[in-house]
Amino acid sequence: MSGKIKYTNGPIGKLKVVRDFLPRPEELVFRDEGVKVTLALSKRSVEFFKDEARKHRTQYQRMIRRLLDAYAEHHSRAPARRSRKARAKTARAG
């Protein structure tokens, strides 16, 4: 790539609009204050995260923390309202 690029005013071809994939600025700030915990994990799980962390050049504890944060965020949202029919079916089963 040592050659110079020559720009022209000609047509540039078919364009495709790409959805904005960058995080919002508020998503870049640090999360809640961390809390130290002692947790016994299976050797298989720890080895999995260590291997993946090596592949992606990151820390395995950070990967586990982000996984738990994503899980907690997903499940802390208000549950979707169920239809009357679904609630009646659950009531009959219980």
Side-chain angles (χ1 to χ4, degrees), residues 44-72:
R44 185 176 71 199
S45 294
V46 174
E47 289 303 318
F48 169 81
F49 281 103
K50 283 184 176 182
D51 290 343
E52 290 299 312
R54 268 187 235 107
K55 289 179 194 174
H56 300 286
R57 296 185 179 127
T58 189
Q59 299 169 349
Y60 78 97
Q61 292 171 333
R62 181 177 292 162
M63 289 181 71
I64 294 170
R65 186 169 47 249
R66 287 184 178 166
L67 174 67
L68 292 172
D69 286 345
Y71 182 91

Side-chain angles (χ1 to χ4, degrees), residues 78-91:
R81 289 196 50 118
R82 298 185 323 177
S83 69
R84 200 176 305 160
K85 187 176 179 181
R87 283 182 292 207
K89 185 177 180 181
T90 303

